[in-house]
Amino acid sequence: MSGVLRAAAPLARRLNAVSKGPATRSTRKYSADPDDIRVAYPWSDPMNPARWKSEHTVLTVLGTWAVVIGSTYSVFGPKSKPKETKPKA
């Protein structure tokens, strides 16, 4: 068994020595402006929305609207009528 491992060792070294090209580099797709360095996450600076990333601002605004619309619908929406029970004869 150790002979097989010794034979496979050079192959493993060659596979690990492959240069890391552009295929393995991380990219910033669908993210905010990379030159904007003055951003903060909402949980690290919650009282200053001007410094949040634009994606977090959008999600916060959409979430707020969802809560407002849902609350309004539950307060002013259609009321359910209580079922009338017939007395047993």
Side-chain angles (χ1 to χ4, degrees):
M1 182 70 176
S2 65
V4 173
L5 293 175
R6 283 189 191 128
L11 177 64
R13 274 188 240 119
R14 267 188 276 146
L15 290 176
N16 287 337
V18 173
S19 66
K20 307 292 186 218
T24 59
R25 256 186 228 137
S26 65
T27 58
R28 290 179 46 96
K29 293 181 182 178
Y30 307 113
S31 63
D33 184 16
D35 297 328
D36 190 13
I37 58 172
R38 300 177 55 193
V39 296
Y41 294 109
W43 53 86
S44 63
D45 193 7
M47 300 307 290
N48 191 3
R51 290 193 58 214
W52 295 356
K53 289 180 73 176
S54 60
E55 292 88 357
H56 293 127
T57 306
V58 169
L59 290 175
T60 303
V61 168
L62 290 176
T64 303
W65 274 110
V67 168
V68 167
I69 291 171
S71 300
T72 304
Y73 183 77
S74 68
V75 170
F76 298 111
K79 306 290 186 216
S80 62
K81 296 178 183 176
K83 293 184 177 181
E84 296 179 14
T85 58
K86 294 183 180 179
K88 293 183 179 180

